[in-house]
């Protein structure tokens, strides 16, 4: 991949920022570089240049490239988990919940910058710390959905988690397949198709209150 273009000259001045704002600026610059180049090819020089800061400023916030990558990865998996949790909490209509859960994955994967690649296509997938962060984020998504399934169906924890894992797997894989083809299938149509597929299966599970189906 080609490296990202340097930041515009107007943005390359190292002005004083509050620590939190500076950290966010550095994370955004790192995201651009890591997505374009991958972890191994990226250099702290590239990230500092992209952010328009000196390397000492970058090292004040992150002691090394790996720590910067892990911080960025943690931010991205937390965002995905928050999207899914919000989808589950936004309504008590289960069909709408399925739509929202699938949509959360599509929106995360379709977000600007293709940051999803850090989560699902990292060139550090076999790194223990990377795997731990990704698994924790995936687990949070599955748990949020499983809690709803268990509450509504009376399924035990392991079965609810298995069903939730199936739904998140469907949402992730279909969203990643769709992204390069979104010019031919709109986001809304793709989400509707995949949530309909999921709903036709999950709606057959009876509610715990009276044995009626989830629908």
């Amino acid at each position: 991949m080609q490296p990202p273009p340097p930041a515009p000259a107007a943005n390359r001045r190292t002005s004083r920022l509050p620590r939190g704002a500076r950290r966010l600026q550095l994370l955004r610059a790192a995201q651009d570089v890591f997505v374009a180049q991958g972890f191994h090819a990226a250099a702290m020089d590239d990230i500092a240049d992209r952010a328009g800061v000196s390397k000492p400023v970058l090292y004040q916030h992150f002691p090394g490239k790996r720590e910067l990558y892990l911080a960025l990865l943690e931010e991205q998996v937390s965002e995905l988990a928050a999207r899914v949790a919000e989808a589950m909490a936004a309504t008590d209509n289960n069909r709408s919940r399925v739509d929202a859960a699938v949509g959360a994955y599509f929106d995360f994967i379709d977000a600007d910058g293709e940051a999803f690649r850090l989560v699902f296509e990292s060139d550090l997938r076999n790194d223990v710390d990377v795997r731990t962060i990704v698994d924790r984020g995936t687990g949070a998504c599955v748990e949020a959905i499983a809690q709803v399934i268990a509450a509504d169906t009376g399924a035990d924890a392991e079965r609810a988690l298995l069903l939730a894992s199936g739904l998140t797997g469907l949402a992730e894989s279909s969203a990643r397949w769709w992204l390069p083809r979104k010019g031919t299938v709109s986001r809304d149509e793709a989400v509707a198709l995949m949530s309909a597929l999921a709903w036709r299966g999950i709606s057959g599970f009876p509610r715990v209150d009276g044995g009626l189906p989830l629908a």
Side-chain angles (χ1 to χ4, degrees):
M1 295 182 181
Q2 294 295 320
N11 295 331
R12 292 174 62 80
R13 296 190 298 270
T14 304
S15 57
R16 288 190 176 276
L17 291 174
R19 185 170 182 81
R22 177 68 76 195
R23 177 183 171 86
L24 182 61
Q25 176 201 27
L26 297 175
L27 286 171
R28 296 287 72 77
Q31 176 177 308
D32 291 342
V33 173
F34 283 134
V35 167
Q37 300 182 20
F39 175 81
H40 295 293
M44 292 292 269
D45 283 323
D46 299 328
I47 296 168
D49 187 61
R50 179 68 176 169
V53 302
S54 65
K55 280 181 68 177
V57 169
L58 181 56
Y59 280 112
Q60 285 174 11
H61 293 263
F62 301 100
K65 182 172 73 167
R66 188 170 184 277
E67 289 79 7
L68 176 51
Y69 187 89
L70 292 176
L72 181 59
L73 183 64
E74 186 78 60
E75 180 187 66
Q76 293 301 322
V77 299
S78 295
E79 179 186 343
L80 176 58
R83 286 176 184 264
V84 173
E86 182 180 353
M88 293 296 98
T91 178
D92 59 3
N93 179 283
N94 284 312
R95 177 59 202 266
S96 296
R97 281 173 170 155
V98 172
D99 289 343
V102 173
Y105 276 83
F106 273 75
D107 292 340
F108 177 74
I109 285 176
D110 194 31
D112 291 340
E114 296 192 340
F116 79 92
R117 297 190 186 282
L118 298 172
V119 180
F120 299 126
E121 299 176 9
S122 170
D123 54 353
L124 283 183
R125 284 189 299 271
N126 294 326
D127 181 278
V128 172
D129 291 333
V130 168
R131 190 73 262 154
T132 297
I133 292 171
V134 172
D135 287 349
R136 184 165 62 245
T138 300
C141 295
V142 170
E143 180 67 30
I145 296 172
Q147 287 177 1
V148 173
I149 292 174
D152 276 357
T153 67
D156 63 59
E158 287 304 311
R159 287 166 177 78
L161 287 167
L162 180 58
L163 290 168
S165 178
L167 178 58
T168 59
L170 176 148
E172 176 202 327
S173 60
S174 61
R176 290 171 63 189
W177 189 91
W178 163 81
L179 185 62
R181 301 168 176 85
K182 65 179 183 178
T184 57
V185 181
S186 72
R187 178 267 186 204
D188 289 348
E189 182 183 1
V191 170
L193 284 170
M194 299 317 300
S195 61
L197 176 63
W199 180 246
R200 286 168 186 162
I202 202 168
S203 63
F205 285 84
R207 282 184 183 273
V208 70
D209 52 348
L212 297 177
L214 288 176

